[in-house]
Amino acid sequence: MIKDLYIQPRFFFLFGAVIVLFILGFPFPLVFALAQGFLLLALVVVLVDFLLLFGRGQRITCQRESSGVFSLGNENPVVLRVSSGYSIPLQLMIIDELPFQFQKRDFKLRLKLSPEASETLSYRLRPTERGRYRFGRTRIFATSTVGLLQRRFTMANERNVPVYPSIMDMKKYEIKSVMKLSTSYGVKKVRRIGQSSEFEQIKDYVQGDDYQSINWKATGRYSKLMVNHYQDEQSQQVYTLIDKSRYMKMPFDDLTLLDYAINASLVISNTALLKQDKTGLITFSDKVETYLKASKQRSQLKVILEALYKEEECRQEANYELLYKVLQNKIRVRSLIFLYANFESLHALERVLPILRKINRRHLLILVIFRNTELQHYYKARANNLEEIYLKTIAQKFDEEKRQIINELNHYGIQVIYTEPRHLTIDSLNKYLELKSRGMI
């Protein structure tokens, strides 16, 4: 019991005043007697405060509730349910021991709790690293209205929570991407201009429909334009390739480029499976780390999720020659390939451009390159001296070289997604839906 007892600052102020009275009243009997009475009153108040806090049956409980899995880069909610067995109101200070990865040493919550009441507190955590996060105990420090003493309650709420690639983003875009009539924010609604062999139904003509799909028999029968609509072809192969070399360690908004690529890959894989396509995964650096053959089994998503959860950046440069050999031996059918990479110079691209062109001849290659927004903000800011002018000129040169990289890829017919890291997932998803709608895969 004593180890859970803490003295508040009011206690020291009270007894400090008593000591001052004793010192001042020592030569004066009347003042000295007043000091003795004040000391007795202070002791009674402390005893009352102690009995209020440590009386029999007085208890506070707290339960922490959260998802069994956290999503990387998202705000994950955590709920604390606090209940009081006291018959008096209390002031509570709650310290929830967060995983060390968050580096929050002063995390505190305060709550005023009515007698025998229950309250709910919530907060959000944004993990920026994949892995296992361990929550510790929850400590509650209770103070009565007297405010001289404080009692500590400790709840054994220890729990391990794994942080996986963004499952929240996956679920967020899941419905938006499969609903044919949805116009949800961010996901583009692309009208199909190609055809596949899978007839769906006859509908009224809408501006933008392909004239070649007009059904003249139905048009003559109903005296208005009618068009044939076709379903997307299914069971096509979609692979996400992730470059794990040192260039992908660059951080943006506390996440690395590799983490952004992993989150986008999970969303693309899930959407492809919902579209009845086969999806696979390849990660590589100086060697091929992970190869998952394309499959449309629903269990494939769990396999991909577990593989992405374990991926880590590598210090070596990427071996694109080895990657091409693996693609040549493992993927015999023309497939849609999303390649997440980061070329910071034209020279770095020129070394692997012949290989990218070979891949693009056999498959439909979508190369995803990241826009360095921090670099753009830096060189667009006003320079204050000659040194800053020089540095901003160099930064602008690097940004212009990125644009040359895009032009070079487009010149050879390689499709490119040039996007900010925070827009990577939605831009990749829009590209997949667009290609799917146009019947290009």
Side-chain angles (χ1 to χ4, degrees):
M1 181 179 295
I2 299 300
K3 67 178 182 179
D4 293 327
L5 174 64
Y6 291 84
I7 298 176
Q8 292 289 82
R10 289 183 185 179
F11 180 93
F12 296 104
F13 292 150
L14 177 62
F15 282 91
V18 172
I19 293 174
V20 170
L21 282 176
F22 270 104
I23 294 174
L24 295 177
F26 187 76
F28 309 101
L30 183 62
V31 177
F32 190 77
L34 180 63
Q36 289 178 322
F38 194 69
L39 174 61
L40 181 61
L41 178 61
L43 292 175
V44 171
V45 172
V46 171
L47 179 61
V48 170
D49 198 14
F50 180 84
L51 293 176
L52 288 175
L53 290 175
F54 289 88
R56 179 174 296 182
Q58 308 285 48
R59 192 69 185 168
I60 291 178
T61 59
C62 179
Q63 292 182 336
R64 184 196 304 118
E65 298 177 4
S66 65
S67 172
V69 175
F70 277 8
S71 292
L72 179 68
N74 295 122
E75 297 287 344
N76 298 267
V78 180
V79 175
L80 295 176
R81 301 191 184 278
V82 184
S83 298
S84 172
Y86 281 83
S87 57
I88 59 171
L90 295 174
Q91 293 285 348
L92 304 182
M93 181 179 68
I94 304 172
I95 299 178
D96 202 15
E97 295 181 353
L98 304 182
F100 71 88
Q101 290 92 335
F102 295 108
Q103 291 297 303
K104 292 184 178 181
R105 308 294 186 185
D106 56 349
F107 181 75
K108 298 177 183 178
L109 297 171
R110 296 187 181 275
L111 174 67
K112 184 176 181 181
L113 197 58
S114 302
E116 299 182 351
S118 297
E119 293 286 344
T120 299
L121 298 174
S122 63
Y123 59 92
R124 293 179 176 271
L125 297 174
R126 181 177 180 264
T128 57
E129 299 177 11
R130 283 167 286 113
R132 191 167 296 276
Y133 286 52
R134 180 171 179 80
F135 284 86
R137 292 168 291 186
T138 303
R139 302 181 187 274
I140 298 180
F141 296 85
T143 307
S144 70
T145 53
V146 179
L148 295 178
L149 303 176
Q150 190 177 65
R151 182 179 179 181
R152 182 185 67 178
F153 295 90
T154 302
M155 286 74 184
N157 287 335
E158 290 93 341
R159 185 187 183 191
N160 291 324
V161 177
V163 175
Y164 274 80
S166 184
I167 300 175
M168 285 186 176
D169 283 352
M170 182 188 73
K171 293 180 178 179
K172 173 183 175 183
Y173 294 115
E174 185 175 278
I175 299 178
K176 296 180 180 181
S177 61
V178 298
M179 290 181 63
K180 297 179 181 178
L181 299 179
S182 68
T183 54
S184 303
Y185 170 78
V187 178
K188 294 180 181 178
K189 183 182 176 184
V190 183
R191 186 174 303 282
R192 182 180 183 83
I193 63 173
Q195 290 186 356
S196 71
S197 58
E198 298 182 43
F199 175 78
E200 182 180 7
Q201 59 181 321
I202 300 174
K203 291 184 176 181
D204 292 343
Y205 173 83
V206 179
Q207 186 176 0
D209 283 334
D210 185 8
Y211 291 116
Q212 296 181 1
S213 63
I214 294 178
N215 188 318
W216 293 108
K217 289 185 179 181
T219 298
R221 184 179 304 165
Y222 294 101
S223 300
K224 58 181 179 179
L225 285 176
M226 306 291 290
V227 293
N228 295 329
H229 276 241
Y230 299 85
Q231 292 180 345
D232 294 334
E233 293 182 2
Q234 299 178 349
S235 296
Q236 297 164 312
Q237 292 194 157
V238 180
Y239 276 89
T240 52
L241 277 58
I242 302 178
D243 181 349
K244 301 199 307 177
S245 62
R246 56 191 177 92
Y247 296 108
M248 296 291 282
K249 297 180 68 174
M250 186 178 297
F252 283 92
D253 195 19
D254 299 326
L255 295 179
T256 64
L257 297 183
L258 177 62
D259 289 326
Y260 283 106
I262 285 174
N263 284 348
S265 297
L266 182 63
V267 172
I268 293 295
S269 299
N270 182 55
T271 305
L273 290 172
L274 292 172
K275 292 283 187 179
Q276 299 300 312
D277 282 338
K278 299 178 181 179
T279 182
L281 171 70
I282 297 177
T283 66
F284 67 99
S285 55
D286 59 325
K287 58 182 179 180
V288 174
E289 302 282 350
T290 303
Y291 169 71
L292 297 177
K293 184 178 179 181
S295 170
K296 66 175 182 179
Q297 299 293 326
R298 194 58 191 172
S299 59
Q300 179 78 347
L301 184 64
K302 183 177 180 181
V303 176
I304 291 175
L305 180 62
E306 290 293 339
L308 292 174
Y309 170 70
K310 299 176 183 177
E311 297 295 345
E312 296 180 358
E313 299 94 344
C314 298
R315 296 183 178 180
Q316 294 79 10
E317 291 194 9
N319 188 339
Y320 279 84
E321 291 84 358
L322 179 60
L323 173 66
Y324 177 70
K325 291 181 181 179
V326 171
L327 295 179
Q328 195 174 23
N329 295 330
K330 300 289 188 180
I331 308 177
R332 302 298 180 91
V333 181
R334 178 174 172 81
S335 307
L336 171 62
I337 293 179
F338 283 90
L339 174 57
Y340 296 94
N342 187 37
F343 298 104
E344 289 296 325
S345 67
L346 192 59
H347 174 69
L349 173 68
E350 289 173 346
R351 289 187 299 169
V352 301
L353 186 56
I355 299 174
L356 297 179
R357 293 176 61 188
K358 289 181 181 179
I359 296 175
N360 193 50
R361 282 195 289 267
R362 297 193 59 181
H363 306 281
L364 178 56
L365 176 62
I366 309 297
L367 183 58
V368 183
I369 298 181
F370 297 90
R371 186 192 303 271
N372 194 331
T373 52
E374 293 183 2
L375 193 67
Q376 290 178 332
H377 293 158
Y378 176 75
Y379 76 74
K380 289 181 180 179
R382 183 177 179 179
N384 297 318
N385 51 55
L386 186 62
E387 181 181 0
E388 288 188 5
I389 292 175
Y390 173 77
L391 294 176
K392 291 179 186 297
T393 302
I394 298 299
Q396 189 171 6
K397 179 179 179 297
F398 278 117
D399 187 62
E400 183 61 31
E401 194 166 5
K402 262 290 178 69
R403 300 183 186 278
Q404 294 179 18
I405 291 174
I406 306 304
N407 294 334
E408 188 76 6
L409 291 167
N410 289 333
H411 175 73
Y412 289 105
I414 299 175
Q415 298 198 47
V416 180
I417 299 176
Y418 185 41
T419 181
E420 299 178 18
R422 61 193 178 98
H423 295 153
L424 173 63
T425 298
I426 188 63
D427 288 343
S428 299
L429 181 58
N430 281 335
K431 192 67 174 179
Y432 167 73
L433 295 176
E434 175 188 348
L435 297 174
K436 189 74 175 171
S437 176
R438 295 180 182 275
M440 295 182 66
I441 57 173

